Amino acid sequence: MGKRSGFFFAILLLAGIAQLQSPVATAQSGNDVSGCSSGIVSSVDGSCVGQDDSQFNDQGQQGETSPLSGNYGTNPNLSQSQLSRQYPGLQNRGLNGGVPSFTDQSGLNGLQAQQQALNEARLLEIQRPSPPTEFQLLVRASVGKLLPVYGDSLFQQVPTTFAPLRDVNVTPDYVLGPGDQLLIRIWGQVNFNAQVNVDRSGSVYLPQVGGIHVAGLPYAQVKQHIQDAVGRIYKSFSLDVEMGQLRSIQVFVVGRAPRPGNYTLSSLSTLVTAIFATGGPSVQGSLRDIQVRRNGQTVTHFDLYDLLLLGDMSKDVPLLPGDVIFIPPVGPQVAVAGSVRVPAIYELKGATSVDQALQFAGGLSATASLLHASLERVDDRNSRTVMNLVLEGAGLATPLQQADVLRVLPFSPQFQNTVTLRGNVAETGRFAWHSGMKLSEIIPNSQSLVTRDYWERRNQLGVPGPVFKAEYANNPDQFARDANGYRRPLPNNETAAANGQPLNNGSQQTPNNQASGQAPTQNSSSGPNNPDLNGLSGQSPLSSQPTDANGAGNSQNGPQNTGSSDLGSGSIANQQQQLSWNGGALPRPRLNIVLPVPEIDWSYAVIERLNPQTLATSLVPFNPGKLVQDHDASQDLTLEPGDVVTIFSQVDISVPQEQRTKFVRLEGEFAGAGIYSVGPGETLRQLVARAGGLTPNAYLFGSEFTRESTRVFQQQRLNDYLSNLELEIDRSTINAASASVTPQDTAATAAEVSASRSLVTKFRTLRATGRIVLTLDPNATGIDRLPDLPLEDGDRFTVPSRPGTVNVVGAVYDQNSFLFNQRQQLRGYVRSAGGPTRDADDKHAFIIRADGSVVSRVSRSGVFGNTFDSTRMNPGDTVVVPEKVPRPSALRNFVNYSQIFSQLALGAAAVAVLR
């Protein structure tokens, strides 16, 4: 019994605690709680209790403290739901029916401040763009864009507080009334300091003096009026009167206003300030006849255009309590569009001409035509017509009517009586045409065809370099070195220049360690199992020199991508070139001679001519070389107005090789190595002979000849091959994925695909070098053995000195260079390197000849067997013994077969059991 009573007592105690903690506004069964997140609806006003009010905290719902009037909070008699029903626009403005923030800036008492906040809440509804009117839609259909109603944008952002600051000086003509506060200070025979309010009878009360009627007096007369009243009682005193808190007045805004109604404003308000405070006229209201009505009479007719266009406020009047601001419907409207400063829809008042409408729109713009204007008009509200106007004289005096659309057209951009010169010329531009004008007048000589880019780039060649470099201070050999004494990697530009390549300022490239004089590191790829392909004597047609996606070179002229990386940087000519100056690292970029800008096409230029009758364009060609250089009168054509003369360069239109300027670089064992300008039809043999021939130490078999056009073709073929390789990898991936049985197969396939894609990514960095194998005899010595190969611009021919070594690299025990022995065969050099290693793939060994050709073991197979091992070597040749490709081990195959057989056995056993 004791346990049951204790349990019952505990239940009563918990119920009492819950009752004490419940909110005052309890839930009632009659209220709808479907829209309340807490499920509790207030019994006072039906609002939801427990709703998150954080959104109101940021809105300043608690008001601000004023030193004069105290803390003005929200009115407790007005709930949020009541405000929402009274002002539905608050819900759309994101306030959820809450009273917006307000600041007491005019000394209003608490009730007035609360009413001010409600006025601000009502004004929030006005702050949104008005929907377009029917006339705006009509104008948009006519001119192609929506024109605004003039003056409507002024009232789209209404200020949240209208009442002026309390520290603003009161004007002398301010008329006092009930509610105003006066600060009266009297000193002398009597001392008095008080704040007195004008009561409902219009009087203020002073002790020992009595009531003084001040209502209706201008502020300038109040001081003298009070001084006269006090002077009847006291003598010998001074008096000062100032305005304290100002009264508020109530005015009515009716008519075509966005939110008509009763507004409480400051007593200093005028018609203009009230217009902006209450949101102004709507798009359906008139801006040109805003009226103030007082005691049944119209006090003023205010034209807002006078204020907006002229700054005239002469008809503005101060407002008094009970005044009515009436906004009549909008009057006739016209649209002014086109080449005017302020395209908009304007309201007419009385007779208005085209000239006056253009003044409304700010006048004509800089591109307006005085001869082309159109006036669209609605006749008798039935049909539309169009009139063409000339904006002069009678055209400007044309009267406008309701719904007119005045469109001012811009003048034509056509140049009258001009000739245009463009293209590869010194100064492009327009020239005044005259009768009998010839081509020689705009192209007088050859200097008029030299572009500004040519002189700018030539001027850059003379820019002085730095006087002192810090890295030379403690370095006698003028090389930057690290702490171990090894040379530091050169910047990309100097590396490219050291390799005979044009400068490339956009890429990051590190020179090969051995080429730059650095000691090999532990991460070097050299070793028995990782052949150093930089030691190859021959040169592959590939190089990892970064270029653009299409394999384009870095310069229009000069050598291109002659090898500076893993593949293609090991030719004899390239190696000796890198070692030509103290190890190959230059303290500055190598000098080169290239064309600064494309040269002019002297064989073809054209005149573009428009037939004014048929409007057909024809091309009239002429020869600028005969015109400028030979002064051929037949090429000095007569120009017509509107002609466009175009001078082309050799890049704009590809010209024959014989007409191009060609620079060819000869390097190495030449009597006169250098850069030569090649004449039309000149061949490689002729150029070498003109350069003085070869030196006695020249090794023609190891020479290197590169060409830019060949490099582009090689790069294109390489890109095509890699694209096909990626496609084949994708196909193999799909087939392997469909054939995978176990998770081990799937993982092995993924690893294989990843390795293949990584290999393709590395191949993408390879760049073609453009080398052409000349197939010279190994014992060739004279220039008569050179081919009669026609030369192109940018060709580069390098002849090294005769080397004395043969290289053996790859899967051998000692990758090294061995002295050349004329009697020794390939097997002897491989034997000197220790022979192939256990992982060597001797069946796929090959020779890279000094001239760039390749001899493989497979190619030496014949009727009498394979003669690859007995191949005679030449100076500079390289023997490459590759490694074997890893294959699956026998154990892995055994496991796979075991799994297959076991699964077959289990399947057979299952079939036997089912039978």
Side-chain angles (χ1 to χ4, degrees):
M1 186 66 183
K3 294 182 178 180
R4 293 181 180 179
S5 61
F7 179 74
F8 182 75
F9 180 77
I11 293 176
L12 293 178
L13 180 61
L14 293 176
I17 295 175
Q19 183 68 22
L20 290 176
Q21 293 180 349
S22 62
V24 177
T26 59
Q28 293 188 0
S29 58
N31 294 333
D32 183 13
V33 298
S34 60
C36 182
S37 59
S38 63
I40 303 176
V41 180
S42 174
S43 60
V44 179
D45 56 359
S47 61
C48 180
V49 178
Q51 188 177 5
D52 185 11
D53 295 333
S54 60
Q55 55 186 334
F56 301 112
N57 296 335
D58 296 335
Q59 301 294 336
Q61 299 301 315
Q62 301 303 323
E64 295 183 4
T65 301
S66 171
L68 295 178
S69 304
N71 185 5
Y72 304 143
T74 57
N75 190 348
N77 297 325
L78 294 177
S79 65
Q80 295 179 1
S81 58
Q82 292 172 346
L83 290 175
S84 300
R85 289 191 296 269
Q86 185 177 358
Y87 305 111
L90 296 178
Q91 198 79 13
N92 298 332
R93 298 300 297 181
L95 294 177
N96 294 329
V99 179
S101 62
F102 64 92
T103 302
D104 175 31
Q105 294 181 326
S106 58
L108 303 178
N109 55 38
L111 182 59
Q112 294 172 339
Q114 180 64 42
Q115 185 63 38
Q116 176 69 32
L118 295 178
N119 289 342
E120 293 175 3
R122 181 162 47 184
L123 293 178
L124 288 175
E125 177 67 17
I126 308 173
Q127 299 179 21
R128 60 186 181 190
S130 302
T133 62
E134 291 184 356
F135 184 55
Q136 284 181 289
L137 297 178
L138 176 68
V139 174
R140 182 177 65 178
S142 178
V143 302
K145 64 178 182 179
L146 186 68
L147 294 183
V149 177
Y150 182 73
D152 181 55
S153 60
L154 298 175
F155 308 107
Q156 291 182 359
Q157 297 295 333
V158 180
T160 57
T161 56
F162 157 69
L165 297 174
R166 57 176 177 268
D167 295 332
V168 173
N169 293 330
V170 178
T171 58
D173 57 350
Y174 175 77
V175 179
L176 271 71
D180 285 335
Q181 184 184 71
L182 295 178
L183 305 179
I184 302 176
R185 300 180 181 88
I186 303 176
W187 63 96
Q189 184 180 1
V190 59
N191 294 323
F192 180 79
N193 186 5
Q195 300 178 1
V196 295
N197 295 326
V198 181
D199 56 20
R200 294 180 181 275
S201 63
S203 302
V204 294
Y205 178 79
L206 299 181
Q208 306 299 328
V209 177
I212 304 175
H213 188 78
V214 295
L217 292 177
Y219 174 64
Q221 302 177 8
V222 171
K223 179 179 178 180
Q224 186 62 41
H225 181 70
I226 296 177
Q227 187 171 2
D228 294 342
V230 176
R232 289 192 290 267
I233 307 299
Y234 299 101
K235 307 296 182 182
S236 301
F237 67 93
S238 298
L239 180 141
D240 185 26
V241 178
E242 294 182 359
M243 292 296 302
Q245 295 182 8
L246 303 180
R247 73 183 186 278
S248 60
I249 61 175
Q250 288 188 346
V251 297
F252 296 90
V253 179
V254 296
R256 298 301 188 273
R259 180 66 68 174
N262 182 17
Y263 287 85
T264 300
L265 306 175
S266 170
S267 56
L268 292 176
S269 300
T270 64
L271 173 61
V272 172
T273 58
I275 290 174
F276 284 94
T278 58
S282 65
V283 291
Q284 301 293 343
S286 174
L287 273 71
R288 309 209 58 182
D289 189 22
I290 302 176
Q291 306 171 14
V292 176
R293 298 181 179 180
R294 184 179 300 160
N295 298 326
Q297 297 181 356
T298 301
V299 178
T300 183
H301 293 267
F302 187 78
D303 188 352
L304 199 58
Y305 277 28
D306 292 342
L307 173 62
L308 301 180
L309 298 176
L310 305 175
D312 183 9
M313 294 180 59
S314 58
K315 294 185 178 180
D316 186 23
V317 294
L319 297 178
L320 297 179
D323 284 352
V324 177
I325 300 176
F326 176 71
I327 301 177
V330 65
Q333 290 181 316
V334 297
V336 182
S339 297
V340 294
R341 289 189 173 90
V342 188
I345 294 176
Y346 296 91
E347 181 183 356
L348 302 182
K349 182 179 179 181
T352 305
S353 64
V354 171
D355 187 21
Q356 293 174 326
L358 292 177
Q359 293 179 10
F360 292 162
L364 300 177
S365 66
T367 60
S369 172
L370 297 178
L371 304 178
H372 299 88
S374 65
L375 180 63
E376 301 177 5
R377 174 164 293 176
V378 179
D379 292 336
D380 299 330
R381 297 180 180 271
N382 186 20
S383 60
R384 300 179 66 184
T385 59
V386 179
M387 302 171 52
N388 294 326
L389 298 178
V390 177
L391 300 181
E392 294 177 349
L396 293 176
T398 303
L400 295 178
Q401 299 178 7
Q402 164 77 353
D404 282 353
V405 179
L406 176 63
R407 184 178 181 185
V408 180
L409 302 178
F411 54 75
S412 173
Q414 178 187 5
F415 284 92
Q416 299 289 338
N417 297 329
T418 57
V419 174
T420 304
L421 177 64
R422 71 185 186 103
N424 201 91
V425 294
E427 294 292 344
T428 60
R430 302 176 184 86
F431 299 84
W433 177 86
H434 59 84
S435 179
M437 188 176 185
K438 299 284 187 178
L439 274 173
S440 58
E441 298 184 33
I442 61 176
I443 311 176
N445 48 42
S446 300
Q447 293 298 319
S448 61
L449 300 178
V450 181
T451 63
R452 298 178 64 89
D453 292 339
Y454 174 82
W455 295 116
E456 290 177 358
R457 297 193 179 187
R458 290 296 294 267
N459 294 339
Q460 291 177 359
L461 300 178
V463 176
V467 179
F468 173 77
K469 291 185 177 181
E471 60 266 24
Y472 296 169
N474 298 320
N475 208 347
D477 58 359
Q478 297 184 348
F479 285 98
R481 298 180 180 271
D482 57 17
N484 298 324
Y486 297 114
R487 293 175 186 169
R488 296 175 182 170
L490 293 176
N492 178 61
N493 287 347
E494 299 183 6
T495 303
N499 293 326
Q501 300 168 6
L503 301 183
N504 184 3
N505 296 327
S507 63
Q508 298 294 332
Q509 181 179 353
T510 302
N512 180 265
N513 291 340
Q514 296 181 2
S516 61
Q518 293 185 7
T521 61
Q522 296 179 358
N523 296 327
S524 176
S525 60
S526 300
N529 298 323
N530 294 310
D532 184 4
L533 298 183
N534 290 322
L536 302 184
S537 299
Q539 182 180 9
S540 167
L542 302 179
S543 170
S544 293
Q545 167 75 15
T547 56
D548 57 16
N550 298 324
N554 299 323
S555 176
Q556 180 188 353
N557 301 284
Q560 301 292 335
N561 297 334
T562 56
S564 61
S565 57
D566 297 339
L567 293 178
S569 63
S571 67
I572 298 176
N574 214 0
Q575 289 178 352
Q576 294 186 1
Q577 178 189 357
Q578 293 177 3
L579 299 173
S580 61
W581 191 86
N582 197 8
L586 293 175
R588 56 162 176 76
R590 297 180 63 192
L591 298 178
N592 197 6
I593 298 177
V594 296
L595 293 176
V597 293
E599 292 192 335
I600 189 174
D601 183 1
W602 288 104
S603 61
Y604 177 81
V606 70
I607 301 174
E608 183 181 351
R609 181 168 295 168
L610 179 66
N611 190 318
Q613 284 76 29
T614 64
L615 301 181
T617 301
S618 60
L619 300 180
V620 182
F622 66 95
N623 190 308
K626 294 181 180 180
L627 171 66
V628 177
Q629 298 174 351
D630 302 337
H631 302 287
D632 188 351
S634 64
Q635 301 297 318
D636 194 6
L637 304 180
T638 303
L639 297 175
E640 297 182 4
D643 283 353
V644 178
V645 181
T646 303
I647 307 297
F648 296 96
S649 69
Q650 295 183 5
V651 173
D652 300 323
I653 298 179
S654 181
V655 300
Q657 286 287 341
E658 295 184 355
Q659 298 181 13
R660 299 180 183 179
T661 299
K662 293 170 283 189
F663 293 154
V664 176
R665 193 181 190 104
L666 300 180
E667 295 183 281
E669 299 297 323
F670 295 96
I675 302 175
Y676 290 88
S677 177
V678 179
E682 190 170 5
T683 63
L684 176 62
R685 183 187 302 174
Q686 296 171 353
L687 178 61
V688 174
R690 184 157 61 92
L694 302 171
T695 64
N697 199 30
Y699 185 44
L700 278 181
F701 183 70
S703 61
E704 177 185 354
F705 184 85
T706 59
R707 173 165 290 178
E708 174 64 16
S709 59
T710 302
R711 186 197 66 78
V712 174
F713 178 78
Q714 291 173 351
Q715 186 65 43
Q716 185 177 2
R717 298 283 78 80
L718 175 62
N719 294 339
D720 293 342
Y721 166 73
L722 294 178
S723 299
N724 294 333
L725 183 60
E726 288 180 338
L727 181 61
E728 184 64 26
I729 292 175
D730 293 338
R731 291 175 180 173
S732 301
T733 302
I734 296 174
N735 296 333
S738 60
S740 298
V741 178
T742 63
Q744 292 80 0
D745 295 339
T746 304
T749 301
E752 183 179 355
V753 171
S754 177
S756 300
R757 295 190 184 279
S758 176
L759 184 62
V760 173
T761 302
K762 293 181 179 179
F763 283 164
R764 287 291 184 186
T765 63
L766 299 179
R767 291 295 178 262
T769 60
R771 181 175 184 179
I772 299 176
V773 178
L774 300 180
T775 62
L776 298 174
D777 187 83
N779 297 321
T781 55
I783 61 174
D784 56 338
R785 308 298 298 274
L786 292 174
D788 281 331
L789 178 65
L791 296 174
E792 298 181 5
D793 183 32
D795 287 350
R796 176 174 172 266
F797 186 46
T798 304
V799 178
S801 60
R802 186 179 183 86
T805 59
V806 173
N807 305 313
V808 180
V809 297
V812 294
Y813 287 99
D814 182 18
Q815 299 185 86
N816 216 327
S817 298
F818 303 93
L819 291 177
F820 171 72
N821 187 349
Q822 189 173 3
R823 298 179 180 179
Q824 193 170 0
Q825 299 177 351
L826 181 143
R827 64 169 61 92
Y829 291 103
V830 175
R831 189 180 301 112
S832 299
T837 62
R838 183 178 60 180
D839 298 328
D841 187 5
D842 189 44
K843 295 181 180 180
H844 295 88
F846 58 93
I847 304 171
I848 300 180
R849 294 293 190 183
D851 65 344
S853 60
V854 177
V855 179
S856 64
R857 181 182 292 275
V858 178
S859 65
R860 299 306 295 267
S861 297
V863 179
F864 301 100
N866 195 294
T867 60
F868 182 73
D869 291 335
S870 60
T871 304
R872 293 289 180 181
M873 305 296 292
N874 300 314
D877 287 352
T878 299
V879 181
V880 180
V881 181
E883 293 184 356
K884 293 180 181 179
V885 178
R887 292 175 179 160
S889 63
L891 179 61
R892 178 61 184 171
N893 293 332
F894 176 76
V895 173
N896 292 336
Y897 288 128
S898 300
Q899 292 177 351
I900 294 174
F901 291 143
S902 63
Q903 291 174 359
L904 289 176
L906 290 175
V911 172
V913 170
L914 292 176
R915 288 181 180 178

